[in-house]
Amino acid sequence: MAPPGGDRPGGAPERLTSQVMRRKPVERLVAEGGQGAGGSLRRTLGMWQLTMISIGATLGTGIFVVLGEAVPEAGPAVVISFVIAGLTALFSALSYAELAGTIPVSGSSYSYAYATMGELIAWICGWCLILEYGVSVAAVAVGWGEYLNELLDGTIGVTIPNALAAPPGEDGGIFNLPALLVVLLAMAFLLGGAKESARANAVMVGVKVAALLLFCAVAFSGIRAGNYAPFMPLGMAGVSAAGATLFFSYIGFDAASTAGEEAKNPQRDLPRAIMLSLIVVTALYCLVAAVAVGALPWKQFDGSEAALAGIMESVTGQSFWAVLLAAGAVVAIASVVLTVLYGQTRILFAMSRDGLVPRVFSRVHPRTGAPRMNTVIVSLFCGGLAAAVPLGRLAEATSIGTLFAFALVNIAVIVLRRTRPEMPRTFRVPLSPLFPAIGFLLCLWMMNGLETITWIVFGVWMAVGLVVYFGYGIRRSRLATGGAVQAATPAEK
């Protein structure tokens, strides 16, 4: 009997195709949940902690600075833009909620793709997530020094020199020390275990939500009805353009899905946490936007990166409130760094367990139940990247990587409904496959609006990823070295 793809023409291509299309059965994904080298992750997170993880990853610097970009595009109708952006995110969130309840594992969209579309697509998705989470940690951490300086200046009158606080290569920045410090701080929490880091994140989320509600309470007294007229000065085109800008303020709601192997009741709690976090964030964004445009004429937002602080100071005539808001921004960034870094380590944990990246990333410390070496390596890499490397277009490419992963999740829902209709689902996307198809098309629409240079950077990143996969992952995959491969069903052939 000839070996697979033996002497017949086309055998090698067929063998390669079978390798890159091999899928990991859902049952095996779930059965391996939590298992790492030397120990297991611990199921300690309830729905409250999972919701806080998603809110922590989503509600960050965006709302503190994004109004200065979005209001000049939409005017007072920026509130509608926030709703449009939220609805756009909702379609993908519905797909995440269904898959998180059906396949409750740490790999998020990487694992969903592995179960439905094959190893190569899963690798590409995982590579996108490394870009989304890893570079996002560095990019968000870079801005921490600016807000920290605002807080220090307003409280003790001392600031860190630009050479040690500004982004590398900008404003005289050489080494961004605060960026490194905030990543190391997040690392310290994560090394204590998921439960301890979730507690710290819950406190930080509470602080930044309180800061935004305080802004609304203080700025409410400055609202003038005339500031809402004309409500839509640049028409629906402006509202849509602002909605595309604001969509990226919602990225992060999927963070709870990376905690699938540390949730107490993942099938029930993950879908609820994803949907609840999106509702809370959307409500806060709309409330803050409505108060902000009512307290400040919309034309005065142009170019303002600290619109909320400026509004509070204008309404009260005191700089104290701006300092208080700066403190909220400092906490907000720290929370985003913590939760996004958490997500990155758990995705690498899942990829390592599957053999696609080195085994060190799936080693679990027996006492804390945390992937300790994984956390240290990722933290030092992201901290060093933020402190010493000008990120430039690589940071912008995180948006396209995120949208690509979202698009794959929408496809995965349709595929799994077709191939495994009998599987129990604790949450189901309404009107499937219509809603997942809409989510997929919306992701493509958002990607199409990105700059050409962003696509080029993304293409280079993908090329590097394919080299890594075909040079390392395809041969070391656990499905290639003895793991069972799910045979294609008649419907999938």
Side-chain angles (χ1 to χ4, degrees):
M1 179 176 175
D7 298 328
R8 68 182 186 275
E14 287 180 11
R15 185 165 62 248
L16 178 62
T17 300
S18 67
Q19 288 175 329
V20 301
M21 292 298 293
R22 56 195 173 206
R23 300 188 317 280
K24 191 170 183 180
V26 173
E27 291 78 9
R28 179 170 171 180
L29 279 167
V30 176
E32 290 180 352
Q35 298 177 20
S40 299
L41 302 178
R42 297 174 182 173
R43 295 193 178 276
T44 58
L45 305 178
M47 193 189 79
W48 171 253
Q49 290 96 333
L50 295 170
T51 304
M52 291 298 102
I53 287 173
S54 282
I55 294 177
T58 309
L59 191 64
T61 55
I63 191 59
F64 289 94
V65 300
V66 78
L67 288 178
E69 301 175 22
V71 173
E73 294 180 308
V78 71
V79 179
I80 299 178
S81 300
F82 269 113
V83 174
I84 291 174
L87 288 174
T88 302
L90 175 63
F91 287 102
S92 292
L94 290 169
S95 293
Y96 264 101
E98 176 167 328
L99 291 176
T102 308
I103 313 175
V105 292
S106 291
S108 185
S109 49
Y110 154 77
S111 294
Y112 309 153
Y114 212 165
T116 56
M117 289 175 278
E119 187 173 281
L120 179 59
I121 300 299
W123 168 265
I124 291 173
C125 187
W127 195 247
C128 287
L129 292 175
I130 291 173
L131 179 67
E132 173 193 350
Y133 282 84
V135 180
S136 290
V137 169
V140 171
V142 163
W144 198 62
E146 179 183 349
Y147 288 101
L148 183 62
N149 263 344
E150 287 185 23
L151 180 60
L152 292 174
D153 186 42
T155 53
I156 62 177
V158 175
T159 59
I160 304 171
N162 276 0
L164 294 177
E170 298 180 22
D171 301 323
I174 298 174
F175 187 87
N176 194 326
L177 183 60
L180 177 60
L181 290 177
V182 72
V183 175
L184 294 180
L185 178 64
M187 179 186 76
F189 282 119
L190 291 175
L191 289 176
K195 185 175 183 179
E196 289 70 20
S197 54
R199 285 174 178 170
N201 174 64
V203 172
M204 289 188 277
V205 169
V207 169
K208 61 184 176 182
V209 169
L212 290 173
L213 292 177
L214 179 64
F215 163 80
C216 293
V218 172
F220 184 81
S221 62
I223 290 179
R224 301 292 180 267
N227 289 339
Y228 292 110
F231 184 69
M232 201 179 294
L234 301 175
M236 196 61 202
V239 173
S240 298
T245 299
L246 293 170
F247 172 79
F248 301 104
S249 297
Y250 287 88
I251 289 175
F253 67 79
D254 57 319
S257 64
T258 66
E261 295 173 25
E262 290 161 291
K264 295 177 182 177
N265 190 343
Q267 285 88 353
R268 183 196 67 185
D269 293 342
L270 286 177
R272 294 180 180 180
I274 291 170
M275 299 309 301
L276 181 58
S277 64
L278 188 62
I279 292 170
V280 170
V281 168
T282 302
L284 271 173
Y285 281 168
C286 291
L287 177 62
V288 171
V291 172
V293 295
L296 184 70
W298 69 274
K299 291 184 179 179
Q300 295 183 26
F301 280 83
D302 193 15
S304 173
E305 294 188 353
L308 300 188
I311 291 171
M312 292 185 79
E313 188 170 353
S314 174
V315 170
T316 63
Q318 300 176 9
S319 60
F320 165 77
W321 298 106
V323 173
L324 200 58
L325 205 64
V330 167
V331 174
I333 296 176
S335 175
V336 173
V337 170
L338 174 64
T339 49
V340 175
L341 190 64
Y342 169 84
Q344 175 67 99
T345 60
R346 270 46 180 185
I347 289 165
L348 282 170
F349 174 87
M351 296 177 73
S352 173
R353 185 172 55 202
D354 293 334
L356 299 183
V357 298
R359 184 178 174 84
V360 66
F361 291 102
S362 57
R363 290 178 185 164
V364 177
H365 192 272
R367 182 176 60 83
T368 63
R372 178 165 288 188
M373 286 305 299
N374 178 343
T375 302
V376 171
I377 293 170
V378 172
S379 300
L380 292 179
F381 176 79
C382 292
L385 195 66
V389 179
L391 296 178
R393 295 292 180 178
L394 184 61
E396 295 179 17
T398 60
S399 57
I400 196 171
T402 302
L403 287 169
F404 189 83
F406 284 7
L408 289 179
V409 168
N410 285 296
I411 295 175
V413 166
I414 297 174
V415 172
L416 199 62
R417 285 280 191 100
R418 183 168 177 256
T419 59
R420 300 293 304 276
E422 80 289 352
M423 285 192 66
R425 290 166 169 84
T426 55
F427 178 87
R428 300 178 71 91
V429 179
L431 301 179
S432 181
L434 177 61
F435 276 14
I438 291 174
F440 173 75
L441 293 174
L442 285 171
C443 289
L444 293 187
W445 175 66
M446 290 283 185
M447 292 170 70
N448 185 58
L450 297 172
E451 296 181 10
T452 302
I453 186 63
T454 304
W455 278 94
I456 293 173
V457 173
F458 181 66
V460 172
W461 178 261
M462 285 293 101
V464 173
L466 291 175
V467 170
V468 174
Y469 173 69
F470 285 106
Y472 180 92
I474 193 171
R475 293 179 293 104
R476 296 176 180 267
S477 164
R478 285 188 61 196
L479 293 186
T481 58
V485 182
Q486 180 183 7
T489 64
E492 296 171 298
K493 291 182 179 178

